[in-house]
Amino acid sequence: MFAKAFRVKSNTAIKGSDRRKLRADVTAAFPTLGTDQVTELVPGKEELNIVKLYAHRGDAVTVYVSGGNPIIFELEKNLYPTVYTLWSYPDLLPTFTTWPLVLEKLMGGADLMLPGLVVPPAGLPQVQKGDLCAIALVGNRAPVAIGVAAVSTSEMLTSGLKGRGFSVLHTYQDYLWRSGDKSSLPSIAPLALDLPDVTEEKRSIQADSALQGDMRHLTLEGVEEENGEVHQMCGEKTLLETSEDPSVGGLNPDPTDSKTLQEQMDEQLQRCFLHALKCRVKKADLPLLTSTFLGSHMFSCCPEGRQLDIKKSSYKKLSKFLQQMQQEQLIQVKELSKGVESIVAVDWKHPRITSFVIPEPSPTSQTIQEGSREQPYHPPDIKPLYCVPASMTLLFQESGHKKGSVLEGGEVRTIIINYAKKNSLVDADNKKCLEKLQPAYQVTFPGQEPVVKKGKICPIDITLAQRASNKKVTLVRNLEAYGLDPCAVAAILQQRCQASTTVTPAPGTKDGLQVQIQGNQVHHLGRLLLEEYQLPRKHIQGLEKAPKPGKKK
């Protein structure tokens, strides 16, 4: 479902009543979760957003985002956990196992066929048709996909493990996973009953030398073919090599394995905290919501290939960890509004911050980050032009131009001067000629060919509108004309303004979109467009509507 990019319709903070309803729905949908686990999954005070989107096939999906990661998505009134949630609760769903070679097909949008299943010594989990299931890889209990069983377990065994087994909805490394912090697949040791007999496994592989070829050419339903040819996987390893390679499925040897997982997570939490304070948080950012500090600063300081999960630390909650940091006089936390905590002060001269050494990323991770990082926005070069209308064709004919020719202002002036001199006319530099030409403009984005369009370029339009209960909202239109993605701008403004944002079709336009931000946010919007995006002020209208100092927004 998320193998291709989706379109975000809206992204808003959840209301208190919706939060309670979601908690009740999660309890009903996943009865194996205890009350404390449901509270951890759907926190009572931390930031929780509702993102409504359309998948590439047109399905309307609601995604619940906590701590920057999608935790649950809702499709046709059914709740489904994401891989981020299943990594914290690996036993939430019945789990089936497959080979690492099959994962690439699943990520491409394929369903899982029964020949790709690995039957553990304890047998397959008992499920009925339509049950929600998790899919993991051999040697690692961390799920890599979520799907719905196409047949029951008894039917799977009756068919001899042939045919379609699961309709896959969401996988590791798909676009839903990319919308989170892009954590690498963790390593969760299999249960003792699920460990396959290595001797028996090797003997079965040697006895069936064609098994590897069958796995490589395994036909999986749902794979989209291009030009009638299915692209084969490159650089595949044999099943035996895959099972012996410790780097597959996130099973990387770690020198810190002598420490418990909780101790490792505590150290990771401390490092990300100090890294964020030293490099990312500035005095101008204070007061800073604790949820924003975690989602926008601490998560981004997590090293490549590692995962930051407070629930796996000894603190369990962000508020407890920040209380400890406050006791050590690193920061000061206050509850500025009911139930919402913010960092109001930071002691940047504290020895722990000054002595902290920022880790240098490895060359490999630098290469990966540089390849995957979105290119920074550069404003386009906009140049006004003029088109020759039919009524002035004779005037420009001698200079080799015809109806519809596009000229710059200087070229028009030179042609008029030469025409006046040649015909001994007076007032050669008469600007009224420019007024009779049709307006046009040229837009040049960095690294792209110039694009010439007729008419005047529409400025970015900022307006204020009144809503129910005398509430104001800020509306922004025409961002696309300047190469700006309305959804990306809405996401940035939501964090900067700490207000809900929505992207909706712009009235009176065919394909245009407008961004709506709660409250009068013209000041934040102006700083974003003028200072960060460096757009000329003449192409932005409505900046004067920013709230005056000392007045209520």
Side-chain angles (χ1 to χ4, degrees):
M1 174 173 288
F2 304 104
K4 294 185 179 180
F6 49 76
R7 179 170 64 88
V8 176
K9 179 184 177 183
S10 63
N11 186 349
T12 57
I14 194 171
K15 298 178 182 178
S17 57
D18 292 336
R19 190 189 294 263
R20 291 190 292 272
K21 182 179 181 300
L22 175 62
R23 193 175 289 134
D25 292 342
V26 169
T27 303
F30 309 109
T32 56
L33 286 177
T35 305
D36 294 340
Q37 292 175 318
V38 173
T39 304
E40 288 179 357
L41 182 61
V42 186
K45 293 184 178 180
E46 295 180 19
E47 185 178 2
L48 185 65
N49 285 13
I50 301 177
V51 180
K52 294 186 177 181
L53 54 87
Y54 291 107
H56 70 280
R57 293 180 179 174
D59 299 308
V61 184
T62 301
V63 181
Y64 297 92
V65 180
S66 176
N69 284 336
I71 55 171
I72 293 171
F73 65 95
E74 182 178 350
L75 177 65
E76 297 179 351
K77 298 184 178 181
N78 293 321
L79 294 181
Y80 303 92
T82 65
V83 290
Y84 290 108
T85 297
L86 290 180
W87 292 344
S88 299
Y89 309 100
D91 299 323
L92 182 61
L93 301 176
T95 303
F96 291 79
T97 307
T98 187
W99 298 103
L101 292 174
V102 180
L103 177 58
E104 185 174 345
K105 296 291 187 181
L106 300 181
M107 292 190 299
D111 288 337
L112 178 61
M113 306 299 286
L114 293 176
L117 289 182
V118 177
V119 181
L124 295 174
Q126 295 298 316
V127 297
Q128 299 298 321
K129 181 179 180 181
D131 285 356
L132 189 59
C133 305
I135 301 167
L137 302 179
V138 173
N140 189 0
R141 204 155 51 95
V144 295
I146 293 95
V148 176
V151 291
S152 64
T153 303
S154 59
E155 291 173 326
M156 294 179 191
L157 299 175
T158 303
S159 66
L161 294 182
K162 293 181 180 179
R164 187 163 65 98
F166 302 89
S167 298
V168 177
L169 300 175
H170 160 53
T171 68
Y172 169 59
Q173 291 192 351
D174 66 3
Y175 278 86
L176 184 60
W177 170 85
R178 295 183 197 180
S179 67
D181 60 13
K182 301 180 182 179
S183 302
S184 299
L185 183 67
S187 172
I188 303 177
L191 299 175
L193 292 176
D194 293 339
L195 289 172
D197 189 338
V198 177
T199 306
E200 182 181 348
E201 181 183 345
K202 289 186 177 181
R203 186 164 55 246
S204 64
I205 292 175
Q206 292 171 355
D208 189 359
S209 60
L211 177 59
Q212 179 185 340
D214 293 342
M215 288 296 298
R216 290 190 178 184
H217 301 288
L218 184 63
T219 302
L220 297 170
E221 293 181 3
V223 179
E224 298 181 3
E225 299 187 359
E226 298 179 2
N227 300 324
E229 297 180 358
V230 179
H231 297 284
Q232 294 183 348
M233 292 184 287
C234 299
E236 296 173 334
K237 298 181 179 181
T238 66
L239 295 180
L240 187 57
E241 291 171 340
T242 303
S243 62
E244 293 176 351
D245 189 351
S247 66
V248 175
L251 299 175
N252 295 318
D254 194 338
T256 60
D257 280 347
S258 57
K259 298 182 179 180
T260 65
L261 179 62
Q262 192 176 79
E263 292 174 342
Q264 295 179 33
M265 192 56 66
D266 284 351
E267 292 181 0
Q268 184 74 6
L269 197 60
Q270 299 267 359
R271 285 195 294 269
C272 293
F273 173 78
L274 295 172
H275 191 173
L277 290 182
K278 189 165 186 176
C279 299
R280 299 189 178 274
V281 178
K282 307 299 179 186
K283 190 174 182 180
D285 297 331
L286 303 179
L288 180 65
L289 286 174
T290 56
S291 56
T292 304
F293 175 66
L294 174 66
S296 301
H297 300 291
M298 286 185 64
F299 278 138
S300 59
C301 293
C302 189
E304 184 74 20
R306 291 186 174 271
Q307 183 183 12
L308 184 63
D309 190 346
I310 297 179
K311 297 181 181 67
K312 294 180 180 178
S313 69
S314 60
Y315 302 97
K316 302 300 181 184
K317 292 184 179 181
L318 176 64
S319 56
K320 291 184 179 179
F321 171 72
L322 294 180
Q323 286 175 6
Q324 177 65 30
M325 296 299 102
Q326 184 171 239
Q327 291 175 4
E328 296 181 19
Q329 299 182 346
L330 282 158
I331 58 172
Q332 184 178 357
V333 180
K334 285 187 177 180
E335 191 174 311
L336 299 181
S337 59
K338 188 176 180 181
V340 180
E341 293 184 337
S342 299
I343 299 175
V344 296
V346 177
D347 182 10
W348 277 286
K349 295 182 180 180
H350 194 282
R352 289 195 60 188
I353 298 179
T354 55
S355 62
F356 179 74
V357 179
I358 301 171
E360 295 185 2
S362 63
T364 306
S365 64
Q366 278 185 328
T367 305
I368 295 174
Q369 290 175 2
E370 290 172 3
S372 60
R373 187 188 297 125
E374 293 182 2
Q375 294 296 324
Y377 174 80
H378 297 286
D381 178 28
I382 302 172
K383 184 186 298 182
L385 301 174
Y386 302 92
C387 292
V388 178
S391 59
M392 303 184 71
T393 304
L394 294 176
L395 179 61
F396 291 89
Q397 194 170 8
E398 292 185 6
S399 58
H401 298 287
K402 57 184 180 179
K403 176 186 173 182
S405 296
V406 180
L407 304 170
E408 296 183 19
E411 292 178 304
V412 174
R413 190 168 288 106
T414 302
I415 293 172
I416 297 301
I417 292 174
N418 293 337
Y419 183 85
K421 288 180 178 180
K422 183 177 180 180
N423 295 279
S424 302
L425 300 177
V426 185
D427 196 10
D429 196 17
N430 192 342
K431 294 184 178 179
K432 292 183 179 179
C433 180
L434 291 178
E435 298 175 359
K436 295 182 180 181
L437 296 175
Q438 295 177 351
Y441 63 94
Q442 175 182 288
V443 180
T444 307
F445 289 97
Q448 299 182 19
E449 293 293 327
V451 178
V452 177
K453 298 182 179 180
K454 291 185 179 181
K456 293 183 179 180
I457 186 170
C458 296
I460 294 177
D461 185 27
I462 304 173
T463 58
L464 295 176
Q466 204 82 10
R467 293 292 185 262
S469 304
N470 199 29
K471 292 183 179 179
K472 289 183 178 179
V473 294
T474 306
L475 302 175
V476 195
R477 302 173 62 178
N478 302 329
L479 292 169
E480 301 96 327
Y482 298 84
L484 292 170
D485 180 8
C487 295
V489 173
I492 294 173
L493 290 173
Q494 182 184 14
Q495 291 186 351
R496 300 278 177 89
C497 308
Q498 293 300 310
S500 63
T501 59
T502 309
V503 179
T504 58
T509 62
K510 184 179 180 181
D511 300 317
L513 298 174
Q514 71 176 8
V515 178
Q516 175 180 300
I517 315 109
Q518 186 177 7
N520 187 338
Q521 309 296 349
V522 178
H523 178 66
H524 289 283
L525 192 54
R527 289 182 59 183
L528 178 66
L529 297 175
L530 294 173
E531 298 177 13
E532 294 194 27
Y533 292 158
Q534 298 181 353
L535 288 167
R537 185 179 288 268
K538 65 181 180 180
H539 294 307
I540 306 172
Q541 69 178 20
L543 293 175
E544 70 281 356
K545 298 173 184 176
K548 300 296 186 290
K551 290 189 177 182
K552 188 178 179 181
K553 294 184 180 180

